[in-house]
Amino acid sequence: MKEFKHVITDPMGMHARPAGMLVKAVAGYASKITITAPTGTADARRLMALMKLAAKQGMELTITVDGADEEKVAADVAAAKNATFSFFILLYSILIIISQNNKKVNVAARV
């Protein structure tokens, strides 16, 4: 089992967009990923559970990973934490790149 800490830096807290990005980002992992805030604990794959945490700016979250690919998750989280961007902004950037690549593939397939 691996554990990481993350402090919410977004002035709006963890609202629907970053929570949705987190759900999409963790979908590719086999490990169980939970997020614990002072307000409770949520499965990172469940958008409404994450929203129920009502995580605000300045709150410290604990990300717990347990499973077969926890080392991969640990490496990805460490890379995100070492980046100059916040964890959620980094996830958003990755999703934009993926969606742009998918659009390019779809456009090429139509031509």
Side-chain angles (χ1 to χ4, degrees), residues 8 14 35-42 50 53-56 59-62:
I8 299 290
M14 186 167 58
I35 309 293
T36 303
T39 55
T41 300
L50 290 171
L53 290 177
K56 305 287 183 216
M59 275 190 181
E60 182 178 75
L61 304 180
T62 302

Side-chain angles (χ1 to χ4, degrees), residues 20-62:
M21 291 184 297
L22 180 59
V23 169
K24 287 180 182 179
V26 302
Y29 298 112
S31 295
K32 179 178 180 180
I33 303 168
T34 56
I35 309 293
T36 303
T39 55
T41 300
D43 181 342
R45 287 179 171 78
R46 300 187 60 210
L47 177 62
M48 294 311 291
L50 290 171
M51 295 298 300
K52 192 174 177 181
L53 290 177
K56 305 287 183 216
Q57 182 181 28
M59 275 190 181
E60 182 178 75
L61 304 180
T62 302

